[in-house]
């Protein structure tokens, strides 16, 4: 980023405002996504308690933790005054976000398998 500033001069104020606004929106969206998956896990827990079917709700609650770690790393980057996360931190954050997304999808598919009605009636 420093080389860019040397060649182009100081970054215009609109660009820095837009980049920081983008970062804040991404942090808020990641936190909302994490809250959504935690609420989904709580619903799965209640479903398991009421209908006595194993839903693996613990996995559904723990799986999106990488999304929260991503939001925290992004927040740290914003507070340090960076327009983007450093490359090493970005790799860790995006990898955790991706892995968390895959694990959350697996948890949701497992829950769907439990709650979807079976075809063919009772067996």
């Amino acid at each position: 980023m420093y080389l860019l500033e040397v060649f182009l001069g100081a970054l215009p104020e609109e660009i820095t405002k837009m980049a920081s606004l983008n970062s804040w929106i991404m942090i808020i969206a990641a936190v909302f996504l994490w809250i959504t998956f935690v609420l989904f896990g709580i619903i799965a827990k209640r479903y398991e308690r009421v209908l006595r079917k194993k839903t693996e709700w613990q996995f559904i609650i723990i799986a999106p933790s990488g999304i929260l770690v991503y939001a925290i790393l992004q927040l740290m980057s914003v507070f340090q005054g960076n327009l983007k996360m450093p490359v090493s931190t970005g790799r860790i954050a995006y990898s955790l976000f991706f892995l968390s997304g895959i694990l959350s999808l697996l948890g949701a598919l497992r829950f769907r398998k439990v709650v979807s009605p079976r075809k063919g009636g009772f067996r």
Side-chain angles (χ1 to χ4, degrees):
M1 193 50 137
Y2 179 73
L3 291 174
L4 183 67
E5 288 181 23
V6 169
F7 289 116
L8 297 177
L11 290 173
E13 190 175 333
E14 297 91 24
I15 293 175
T16 56
K17 281 184 182 178
M18 188 60 79
S20 66
L21 179 65
N22 246 357
S23 296
W24 282 108
I25 290 171
M26 191 64 152
I27 291 166
I28 292 168
V31 169
F32 279 146
L33 183 62
W34 178 76
I35 290 170
T36 302
F37 280 117
V38 169
L39 290 175
F40 182 58
I42 292 170
I43 290 168
K45 178 182 177 182
R46 290 183 179 181
Y47 186 90
E48 181 177 296
R49 189 182 309 160
V50 169
L51 298 178
R52 295 184 182 98
K53 288 186 175 181
K54 189 167 175 76
T55 60
E56 299 180 24
W57 60 270
Q58 297 92 347
F59 182 76
I60 296 171
I61 289 180
I62 293 172
S65 60
I67 297 170
L68 187 62
V69 172
Y70 166 82
I72 291 169
L73 291 174
Q74 181 76 20
L75 186 65
M76 288 174 37
S77 178
V78 167
F79 280 138
Q80 291 173 354
N82 299 329
L83 290 179
K84 292 178 70 175
M85 277 190 276
V87 175
S88 59
T89 306
R91 285 182 182 157
I92 293 169
Y94 290 123
S95 298
L96 288 173
F97 192 94
F98 179 75
L99 180 64
S100 188
I102 296 295
L103 292 175
S104 296
L105 176 65
L106 290 175
L109 291 176
R110 285 181 183 172
F111 182 70
R112 180 176 178 227
K113 190 173 159 183
V114 170
V115 298
S116 62
R118 294 185 179 151
K119 295 181 181 177
F122 294 104
R123 288 189 179 204

